[in-house]
Amino acid sequence: MKKVILVDGNNLMFRSYFATAYSGSIMRNSKGQATNALYGFVSMINKIIEEEHPQYMVVAFDIGKNFRHEKYSEYKAGRNATPDDLKSQMPIARQILECMGIKYLEAEGYEADDIIGTLAKEADLDPDYDGLIISSDHDLMQLISPVVGMKMLKPKGSVYYTVDSFREEYGFDPIKIIDLKALMGDSSDNIPGVKGIGEKTAKSLIQEYGSLDGVYENIDSIKGKMKEKLEADKENAYFSYELATIYRDVPIEVELSELTYDGPNFASLKGLFQELEFHSFLKNMDFSSVVREKAEYKVVESIDDISDALEFSYFIECDKENYHYADLLGMGLYDGVNLYFVPKEKVVEVLRHLSMRFRYTYALKKNIVLAKKFGIDINNSDFDAMIAYYLLENLSKDDLAFKMSDDAIDIYYYEDLCKKKVSEEDFREGLALKAKFIFDKKDELLEKIKTSSMDSLFNDIEMPLVRVLADMELTGIRVDRELLVEMQNVLKSKMESLEATIYEMTGEKFNIASPKQLGDVLFNKMGIPYPGKKNSSYSTDVSILEKLASDYPVVVHILEYRTLSKLYNTYVEPLEAYIKEDGKIHTIYKQTLTRTGRLSSVEPNLQNIPAREEEGKLIKKAFVSEEGCTLLSADYSQIELRILASISGDETMINSFLNDEDIHRRVAADIHGIPLEEVTKQERSTAKAVIFGIVYGISGFGLGANLNISAKDARQFIEKYYEMYPKVKEYMDNIKIDAYDKGYVKTLYNRIRYIDELKSPVYMVRSGGERIALNTPIQGTGADIMKIAMIKLYDELKRSGKKSKIILQVHDEVILNVVDEELEEVKEIVRKSMENAADLKVPLKVGMEMGKDWYEAK
């Protein structure tokens, strides 16, 4: 049999676009081209090829209006306009198909359905063909025949239809889909049908009378209002029949035999995927047939093999992402003329001799840490391409191969290297090319940074911070292993006791961590009334269980068990594995992970140690100072509100901070029109929620839920706040307008955050984008100020010869390991460094706590 696949191209592109557009995550390449529909389209085409193994394949597209519009000007009139982001991807979809070796067809005046119908008709005439239509459009089901089947795409998979399976489901032949549409109409195509006749009724009529003609031939046997509806809209029914019928004689100048599928043109497909930045597709495709010119490089066997150039770009490769535990694999060098590969056994020697000439790199912090293992300081590097890409694109992947792929430079991916899927030759060449790419891109990236007014952000904040973070990582924080193990035992004992209690109260043993089993026990077997709307299964999330806790003691125990289980499995047990031989944990600070500029901690995440539940806070007891030292925690007080006051210029807020008032108490007093001293604890708490809600763009509904009051009352609080602080309202309104106009917002230090969510057709996604626009300039500026403070603090500690070190950073807080005899001096250095980090309209204020462990210091 000759397998032929007939694909509805428009259908696949629309499905792919809206699958992600509604979530707000429209993929774009670095040039700003939307790619979300294309990514989904390629994924589906690949899946079709993998599952169906076609010998012949064609994708049909619509172009403009067709003959149905001439017959009926309102045809498809109810549809929303195609989004510009989707329109821009349609021509590229055709390019992709050409590169994939798949024919596509379009015909002016006809729809893709008509093209597919014409080809299906040709297949019907030749029993050697085995045809398959792929789409989610029910109209195409009329083409199902003994030769041509259909794969109906659905939200959660797909369904194959043959003539027999269609008859079994519908009760009539596939061709009668036309009659069905004639009666029920089609709102998506604006086909009128018979008013008042829905799908269920239309089906039963076709099943009973066989066709549209059969219905009207037997109209007298139909009684009541249905007969009246059918008679009133007979003309519409037959007109709809005509509109719903797929035209099967489109004058296309190609036959099925010419639509052979012989596989892709790998060279052109690779170039297009690189341009679109489809890295996952590139990684998974076999491009071995693509012949390219190999780069010439010199293998360094001694220092004499390297030129006397004064500046080099370099890239060091190691065998683990967590470079604290990694071994060297090699190094690439480039001096502007010559390419070098340095084998792993020579890397340390080259680092020792040339580190003062190493200027440009990628992932500088990693390199500093790796070199320091061998007592080598990398001091002269002043350009990190990873940081540059991060500032320009908001986010940057750690693997440089992704960026090189964007420029059509083919090298190995780090993931493949770790899996030992890269040949030695490809590794050596790729490593050398990484160094060259950094050198070649440096000026372009710096020019873009300057044009975007981020040169000071790059040179004065992000690049100096790299060394601060490297020093923090190398220093690490001491951990009391014995105490951590003791915590494990205590938590395990408490969990076992709670398990026994829960089993006794429920009358059976089950997996408490399984939402499905827990829901079954609570709501089916115990008969506890479910406090919500049940969908496919019972939810047992915290919000549901908390509603039941006051009436059902077993739920209290379940909530406690969950808390302890999370502490044990997420924090206490995993932390022990990260303690190195020196008795410390050395986390990795990610400088390029968040879109606001905030730092992130990974392997392990020390910024996520619980700060609310007492059991969680106790974990901090295991993080201890070194002998003869004290942990000092310095925390900015209300930094985001101080930034809001400064950015908005609201005099009332500014004066409150200048007078060193409790801002939450001040707001509560202003909102309620009472003296400061009369503000109650509850009123202050409400004011605090209102202020932070406004900073984070929360709605009246969200604020009401947080405060357990009505949305109306919450909105009144917000309106009252804006009335008392009008400049804040003005700022909020202007920042949203500006964000819609430019597509991005900035911090006070010109850090840019692009907000694609504002382009979404979905209201909820756009609303999320507005919240991002409101919060980013404030939170991002706070992150920038913290970075400046850390640099100032690090530099001053170093300048003054102090042995005390910064060891942790958690959002608005820094933690230092302070030598006891330096304590008073360091406290003053910390205060000056942090409080003088920015010149705002209000003073920055820092609170400090001390202790022999992190728990005491906080």
Side-chain angles (χ1 to χ4, degrees), residues 7 9-10 58-64 90-91 93-95 97-98 103-116 119 250-254 259:
V7 181
N10 283 71
V58 66
V59 179
F61 288 103
D62 298 339
I63 48 169
M90 297 301 282
R94 291 159 168 83
Q95 292 177 41
L97 290 171
E98 286 181 349
K103 311 291 191 303
Y104 70 85
L105 294 174
E106 52 196 22
E108 191 171 346
Y110 299 95
E111 291 186 77
D113 290 9
D114 302 318
I115 295 169
I116 292 171
L119 295 170
V250 178
I252 50 178
E253 297 177 359
V254 64
L259 303 176

Side-chain angles (χ1 to χ4, degrees), residues 711-766:
K712 180 181 178 183
D713 289 343
R715 280 194 297 272
Q716 287 177 345
F717 272 119
I718 294 172
E719 288 166 6
K720 185 68 174 175
Y721 175 88
Y722 283 145
E723 186 182 318
M724 302 303 301
Y725 302 92
K727 289 281 186 72
V728 174
K729 178 69 165 66
E730 185 180 331
Y731 161 74
M732 296 291 189
D733 290 342
N734 288 339
I735 200 71
K736 283 194 284 188
I737 292 169
D738 202 40
Y740 273 110
D741 181 47
K742 296 178 179 176
Y744 63 84
V745 291
K746 285 187 174 185
T747 69
L748 284 181
Y749 297 88
N750 287 329
R751 182 184 304 277
I752 294 173
R753 179 172 182 176
Y754 296 98
I755 310 175
D756 289 339
E757 291 86 346
L758 295 176
K759 300 176 182 177
S760 172
V762 184
Y763 170 76
M764 292 298 289
V765 175
R766 288 198 308 277

Side-chain angles (χ1 to χ4, degrees), residues 14 85 179 312 351 361 366 505 622 688 722 779 786 828:
F14 272 77
D85 276 337
D179 304 72
F312 288 84
L351 278 170
T361 192
K366 175 196 77 174
M505 295 178 78
K688 182 177 180 180
Y722 283 145
Q779 192 179 93
M786 173 54 82
E828 190 57 27

